């Protein structure tokens, strides 16, 4: 069977781009564009095999796989060639000559029989893999990704979220305060490492007009003693949607769709009433246990795993940013990336994510 046109096109485009790639970083970018798990052109080609007419499927599958191997080989070769090439004058290291040679600039012969240099491309961290999956799902739903400061002020972390000084809900997150720059002589210490990404709700609404549709991923900090499930630094993703006629049904539908894409399509999702100062009503969201059907040690024999907190944005929060709570409603959620990664990859100890042990990290996709 002649080569499928799609295969030829991807090869031609790849070769052209690879020919232009002149640094390890550029080669890595080309690799991502073709072999990336989410958006790679070859990955898409392999996925399209399933949709091809039955009689064409086998050949197309073989051709796509052959192309994948060809591309992998070409990337390794190109990396070797780039690594061996003389450093361009502009990027020369101080104290080193651009190529082996004597003071008069004559080059020494190169021993072409020496073994090539090992090119280590590395892996993405499991928490990055999960974060990017969450980002892909929400950008697919039209959400924008925003980031904010990890050193936060009391106002954005607590007060504007309806947690004034002395509010008991602060206790759970009483945390790591900084001496400067905002410690006020009276009142609570003003600067802290953010305890959650919820402050991004405030920061975004303060500077943008509704409607709002964002997720805000990032690191958060708490004064927790490390154990299997606690780390003083971990990662969250905040979600916020505000507009006219936004209801709890929208929250439910969106989170159900999100969790089924993130875990399995038949995952069951349960909402249970809860309390957060910045939402009313509030709900804890559970998914059916990923390990068992009828109760195991992980779900404490309940069959459910708590996965995130959510609710309808409290009117006081909308007021704090100058939005009209009579006209606008919204919902929000916060989810822990580490917890999702623990469940998805069956990692038993959250600390493993921060130990930098290559034996763990090398098990994850590029
Ligand atoms: N900020 C909460 C936490 O860190 C999570 C959360 C709960 C975020 C409810 C929300 C929400 O936006 O509506 O535990």
């Amino acid at each position: 069977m002649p080569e499928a046109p799609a295969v030829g096109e991807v090869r031609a485009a790849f070769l052209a781009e690879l020919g232009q790639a002149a640094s390890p970083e550029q080669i890595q970018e080309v690799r991502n564009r073709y072999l990336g798990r989410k958006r790679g052109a070859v990955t898409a080609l392999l996925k399209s095999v399933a949709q091809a007419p039955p009689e064409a499927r086998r050949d197309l599958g073989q051709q796509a796989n052959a192309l994948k191997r060809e591309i992998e080989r070409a990337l390794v070769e190109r990396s070797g060639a780039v690594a061996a090439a003389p450093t361009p004058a502009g990027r020369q290291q101080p104290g080193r000559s651009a190529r082996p040679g004597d003071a008069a600039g004559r080059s020494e012969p190169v021993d072409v029989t020496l073994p090539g240099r090992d090119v280590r491309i590395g892996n993405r961290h499991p928490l990055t893999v999960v974060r990017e999956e969450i980002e892909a799902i929400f950008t697919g739903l039209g959400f924008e990704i925003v980031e904010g400061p990890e050193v936060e002020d009391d106002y954005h972390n607590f007060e504007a979220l309806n947690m004034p000084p002395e509010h008991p809900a602060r206790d759970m997150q009483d945390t790591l305060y900084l001496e400067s720059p905002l410690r006020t002589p009276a009142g609570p210490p003003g600067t802290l490492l953010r305890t959650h990404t919820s402050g991004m709700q405030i920061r975004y609404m303060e500077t943008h007009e509704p409607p709002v549709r964002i997720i805000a991923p990032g690191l958060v900090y708490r004064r927790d003693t490390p154990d299997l499930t606690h780390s003083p630094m971990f990662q969250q993703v905040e979600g916020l949607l505000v507009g006219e006629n936004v209801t709890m049904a929208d929250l439910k539908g969106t989170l159900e769709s999100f969790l089924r894409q993130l875990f399995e399509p038949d995952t069951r999702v349960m909402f249970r009433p809860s309390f957060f100062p910045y939402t009313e009503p509030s709900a804890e969201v559970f998914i059916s246990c990923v390990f068992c059907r009828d109760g195991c040690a992980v779900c404490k024999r309940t069959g459910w795993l708590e996965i995130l907190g959510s609710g309808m944005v409290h009117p006081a929060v909308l007021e704090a940013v100058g939005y009209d709570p009579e006209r606008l409603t919204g919902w929000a959620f916060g989810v822990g990336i580490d917890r999702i990664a623990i469940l998805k990859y069956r990692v038993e100890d959250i600390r493993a994510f921060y130990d930098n042990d290559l034996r763990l990290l090398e098990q994850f996709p590029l």
Side-chain angles (χ1 to χ4, degrees):
M1 167 154 173
E3 188 171 78
V7 175
E9 278 165 26
V10 174
R11 178 189 297 107
F14 166 76
L15 289 173
E17 287 182 35
L18 186 65
Q20 298 290 319
S23 67
E25 295 77 24
Q26 288 169 353
I27 294 173
Q28 178 66 31
E29 280 166 20
V30 176
R31 164 180 278 273
N32 292 347
R33 280 200 293 278
Y34 287 86
L35 301 182
R37 228 165 35 89
K38 279 277 167 206
R39 280 177 280 266
V42 177
T43 317
L45 197 60
L46 283 164
K47 280 193 192 142
S48 75
V49 174
Q51 271 88 50
E55 62 287 359
R57 225 171 268 166
R58 210 178 104 211
D59 284 326
L60 184 58
Q62 282 174 357
Q63 288 173 11
N65 272 310
L67 176 63
K68 185 173 173 197
R69 285 192 296 275
E70 188 182 327
I71 286 183
E72 278 165 350
R73 262 196 316 275
L75 283 165
V76 171
E77 271 170 28
R78 182 87 188 146
S79 300
V82 166
T87 324
R91 296 178 49 192
Q92 220 183 87
Q93 307 270 333
R96 281 210 210 154
S97 65
R99 69 180 78 184
D102 56 22
R106 279 187 300 262
S107 298
E108 282 170 7
V110 174
D111 182 354
V112 292
T113 65
L114 283 173
R117 289 185 200 172
D118 188 17
V119 179
R120 292 208 38 151
I121 293 195
N123 298 54
R124 284 185 299 158
H125 191 281
L127 298 175
T128 308
V129 175
V130 171
R131 174 172 53 73
E132 289 182 353
E133 256 179 69
I134 296 174
E135 289 174 356
I137 294 169
F138 277 98
T139 38
L141 293 170
F143 282 67
E144 190 188 333
I145 302 167
V146 299
E147 282 179 295
E150 287 164 30
V151 175
E152 187 52 287
D153 53 58
D154 186 274
Y155 178 77
H156 290 94
N157 197 76
F158 291 127
E159 191 148 359
L161 287 164
N162 206 20
M163 281 182 278
E166 311 304 331
H167 192 292
R170 288 186 175 212
D171 282 0
M172 261 192 311
Q173 304 190 357
D174 207 4
T175 192
L176 304 160
Y177 291 92
L178 305 179
E179 282 286 345
S180 61
L182 288 180
R183 191 179 185 116
T184 45
T191 313
L192 63 153
L193 295 181
R194 67 179 174 187
T195 60
H196 54 184
T197 43
S198 303
M200 280 308 291
Q201 295 186 23
I202 306 299
R203 286 194 174 274
Y204 189 84
M205 289 191 286
E206 276 175 344
T207 49
H208 295 80
E209 290 300 316
V212 172
R213 226 193 270 165
I214 54 158
I215 58 166
L219 285 164
V220 301
Y221 303 83
R222 292 193 196 167
R223 218 202 50 179
D224 271 335
T225 311
D227 63 17
L228 289 182
T229 54
H230 292 88
S231 156
M233 177 183 83
F234 58 103
Q235 301 194 30
Q236 289 187 330
V237 178
E238 190 77 14
L240 175 69
L241 182 142
V242 179
E244 287 182 26
N245 304 317
V246 176
T247 71
M248 194 141 184
D250 301 319
L251 167 66
K252 216 175 157 208
T254 309
L255 289 183
E256 236 166 52
S257 157
F258 159 55
L259 292 168
R260 288 187 179 147
Q261 286 181 71
L262 191 61
F263 290 97
E264 298 296 325
D266 60 354
T267 301
R268 283 171 298 138
V269 179
M270 173 173 77
F271 286 68
R272 197 171 75 177
S274 182
F275 174 80
F276 300 101
Y278 31 97
T279 44
E280 179 60 36
S282 307
E284 267 156 11
V285 180
F286 294 72
I287 57 167
S288 43
C289 184
V290 297
F291 298 106
C292 70
R293 291 220 142 261
D294 34 38
C296 66
V298 180
C299 62
K300 305 207 178 74
R301 317 226 161 265
T302 62
W304 296 99
L305 298 167
E306 189 186 338
I307 209 87
L308 56 82
S310 68
M312 299 304 292
V313 179
H314 197 289
V317 173
L318 297 175
E319 263 166 22
V321 296
Y323 281 15
D324 177 4
E326 295 297 325
R327 188 171 70 84
L328 298 162
T329 48
W331 51 252
F333 70 89
V335 61
I337 296 185
D338 305 69
R339 171 133 175 91
I340 305 252
I342 284 173
L343 295 174
K344 270 179 87 99
Y345 300 125
R346 329 244 142 145
V347 174
E348 275 169 17
D349 187 340
I350 189 174
R351 291 169 292 191
F353 292 139
Y354 300 100
D355 280 349
N356 288 333
D357 186 335
L358 290 181
R359 287 170 304 178
L360 176 96
L361 301 178
E362 279 170 351
Q363 296 172 44
F364 293 90
L366 280 177

